[in-house]
Amino acid sequence: MARILVVEDSSAVRAYIRAALEDAPGLFARGPEDAPTEVEVVEAASGFDALRLLPRGHYDLVITDINMPDINGLELIRFVRESERHRKVALMIVSTQSAEKDRARGLALGADVFLAKPFTVEALRKAVVTALNGRSAQFAADAPPSEGATPSEGSR
């Protein structure tokens, strides 16, 4: 089972990510002989909530927005990479494309994958598999925003 912590201040985006990942049987299978694995998504509404949840369990991946109240995603990435206990956790940023400086800074701090908002379910799943497999990458939305795309920031 892959355990994923989603850190996002928008409840609509957290729900979108949860639904996309929990409704993907077999997505996280790690080889042809592996039975399809499940995913457990844990939600945090802020960086502060993430810092409260991280010591309570093991996570395979942390997906974080950058722009959040209190502790932002960049500060969270720095904490995870400097933590002896969590430094090997895969990190993925989901943020707006307009934040080019944040994207570069997040990847420089140690994020494994950057996924620009808005994104499709397919782009999210591909980015998550890439992050869990330990490959670094940057993704742009692979399709124009449509019915299946991330809820807009205005839907908070």
Side-chain angles (χ1 to χ4, degrees):
M1 174 183 293
R3 193 156 190 248
I4 299 173
L5 177 61
V6 176
V7 188
E8 167 65 60
D9 59 334
S10 166
S11 62
V13 174
R14 286 194 316 269
Y16 178 82
I17 292 172
R18 173 187 287 276
L21 298 179
E22 289 182 343
D23 189 30
L27 178 66
F28 304 104
R30 297 196 175 171
E33 295 181 17
D34 287 342
T37 58
E38 297 179 15
V39 62
E40 178 185 1
V41 174
V42 177
E43 297 181 23
S46 69
F48 182 78
D49 283 348
L51 292 180
R52 184 179 52 80
L53 290 169
L54 278 168
R56 296 181 182 177
H58 168 79
Y59 294 94
D60 299 293
L61 172 65
V62 174
I63 300 174
T64 185
D65 188 9
I66 291 178
N67 299 314
M68 296 182 291
D70 62 57
I71 299 168
N72 70 38
L74 296 175
E75 293 166 320
L76 179 62
I77 291 167
R78 178 178 290 123
F79 170 82
V80 169
R81 286 298 180 239
E82 291 179 354
S83 164
E84 186 67 35
R85 180 174 178 193
H86 306 294
R87 74 176 42 167
K88 293 183 179 177
V89 172
L91 286 167
M92 184 171 122
I93 297 170
V94 291
S95 193
T96 59
Q97 287 183 320
S98 61
E100 184 59 39
K101 289 169 76 175
D102 288 340
R103 173 199 317 236
R105 191 164 169 218
L107 293 172
L109 286 171
D112 299 294
V113 173
F114 182 94
L115 179 63
K117 293 179 187 174
F119 51 83
T120 63
V121 168
E122 293 76 24
L124 173 66
R125 290 175 178 168
K126 183 177 177 182
V128 166
V129 169
T130 298
L132 289 172
N133 288 331
R135 297 188 305 249
S136 295
Q138 295 181 43
F139 290 87
D142 60 0
S146 64
E147 266 182 48
T150 314
S152 70
E153 293 297 313
S155 63
R156 294 179 189 185

Short mmCIF file of all heavy atoms in Angstrom, two decimals, residues 45 90 138:
data_model
loop_
_atom_site.label_atom_id
_atom_site.label_comp_id
_atom_site.label_asym_id
_atom_site.label_seq_id
_atom_site.Cartn_x
_atom_site.Cartn_y
_atom_site.Cartn_z
N ALA A 45 -4.58 20.33 5.66
CA ALA A 45 -5.05 21.59 5.10
C ALA A 45 -4.01 22.70 5.12
O ALA A 45 -4.25 23.78 4.59
CB ALA A 45 -6.31 22.04 5.84
N ALA A 90 9.42 10.60 -0.94
CA ALA A 90 9.26 11.28 -2.23
C ALA A 90 8.42 12.53 -2.03
O ALA A 90 7.48 12.54 -1.24
CB ALA A 90 8.60 10.34 -3.23
N GLN A 138 9.55 17.31 -14.23
CA GLN A 138 8.63 18.43 -14.20
C GLN A 138 7.55 18.12 -15.22
O GLN A 138 7.83 17.69 -16.32
CB GLN A 138 9.33 19.73 -14.59
CG GLN A 138 10.40 20.14 -13.62
CD GLN A 138 11.02 21.45 -14.03
OE1 GLN A 138 10.34 22.36 -14.43
NE2 GLN A 138 12.34 21.52 -13.92
#
